[in-house]
Amino acid sequence: MTPADLFALPAMQRALIAAVFTGLAAPAVGTYLVQRRLALMGDGLGHVAVTGVALGLLTGTSPTWTAVVVAVLGASLIELIRERGSANGDVALALLFYGGLAGGVLLTGIGGQSAVHLQEYLFGSILTNDISDVVVTMVLAAVVIAVGVGLSPQLFAVAQDQEFAKVSGLPVRAYNLLVAVLAAVSVTVAMRTVGLLLVSALMVVPVATSQQLARSFRTTLLWAMVLGTFASLGGLVISA
């Protein structure tokens, strides 16, 4: 099979579309997480989303949407714990993260299914995406990109200096929660392409690389999205 024949396959075309949108959306949120020194939040939300996936498999509903709901709830709880800043906050986050992973395995077992069913979500299975999966990925990623880029001045102000943002009249708590929710959505968008266990890399590594190339926040954001897209497409093309 020639490369032309390979990329003419519908499965490969769907994979390319999913890779582009995932590569754009993940760094768009990851930029704010890195700026706030919450680079590992994507990894934690990936653990929480496992419970959502298992819940979808158990109830026979779409694992994507149940993962979105559970991840958003988890992100909101994480932001609440982080905002309180209690001495035991890191312990509570650890319990939440790894409890999410354990809950996913438990629910999968209760449903009488093998944990193997979780592998395509844990490690990704980009070539198994059908049309509905790609549409959901496109819609959710478009929302993340639109909010992440459109509200970049406000989100950057809150991420850079919360006290100054409060004095400026910005609703800091609302914007912090918005970033957490966007991170949760990005994780679920990427779970069928790069997998829940690796999505944090796509959210952080392009941003860290972009910071070495750019001198302003907006340029960093744009370069991170470009590098994320290049990484997603490059990995898919090389593996193909």
Side-chain angles (χ1 to χ4, degrees):
M1 180 179 292
T2 65
D5 294 333
L6 181 63
F7 288 102
L9 296 174
M12 180 60 70
Q13 294 173 355
R14 292 194 297 269
L16 289 170
I17 295 173
V20 169
F21 277 87
T22 302
L24 288 171
V29 179
T31 303
Y32 301 107
L33 297 181
V34 172
Q35 190 71 26
R36 294 174 57 192
R37 293 180 173 84
L38 295 173
L40 293 180
M41 186 173 183
D43 186 51
L45 288 175
H47 287 71
V48 174
V50 174
T51 295
V53 171
L55 185 61
L57 295 174
L58 177 64
T59 59
T61 57
S62 171
T64 300
W65 290 113
T66 53
V68 168
V69 173
V70 172
V72 167
L73 291 176
S76 302
L77 184 57
I78 290 170
E79 184 58 33
L80 177 63
I81 294 173
R82 190 198 64 80
E83 186 181 63
R84 290 180 59 185
S86 62
N88 295 323
D90 58 336
V91 177
L93 292 178
L95 291 174
L96 181 64
F97 291 167
Y98 299 110
L101 184 60
V105 176
L106 175 63
L107 290 177
T108 302
I110 291 175
Q113 302 183 47
S114 170
V116 175
H117 287 83
L118 292 176
Q119 286 192 3
E120 64 180 85
Y121 298 95
L122 291 175
F123 301 102
S125 183
I126 193 170
L127 292 177
T128 62
N129 286 333
D130 57 24
I131 292 296
S132 61
D133 293 326
V134 175
V135 171
V136 170
T137 297
M138 292 172 62
V139 171
L140 293 179
V143 171
V144 170
I145 295 167
V147 176
V149 176
L151 294 179
S152 58
Q154 295 91 329
L155 295 178
F156 170 71
V158 173
Q160 180 69 16
D161 190 337
Q162 294 195 16
E163 295 302 324
F164 176 78
K166 289 179 180 178
V167 173
S168 301
L170 292 176
V172 173
R173 178 178 296 177
Y175 281 126
N176 283 336
L177 182 60
L178 176 60
V179 171
V181 171
L182 290 177
V185 174
S186 297
V187 165
T188 54
V189 164
M191 69 181 182
R192 290 296 296 273
T193 53
V194 299
L196 292 172
L197 297 184
L198 294 176
V199 62
S200 185
L202 191 59
M203 299 176 76
V204 174
V205 175
V207 179
T209 305
S210 178
Q211 288 178 334
Q212 308 305 312
L213 304 174
R215 292 294 178 266
S216 68
F217 177 79
R218 180 170 289 273
T219 307
T220 299
L221 175 62
L222 295 178
W223 265 112
M225 295 173 68
V226 171
L227 292 172
T229 305
F230 179 79
S232 296
L233 287 177
L236 178 61
V237 171
I238 292 172
S239 63

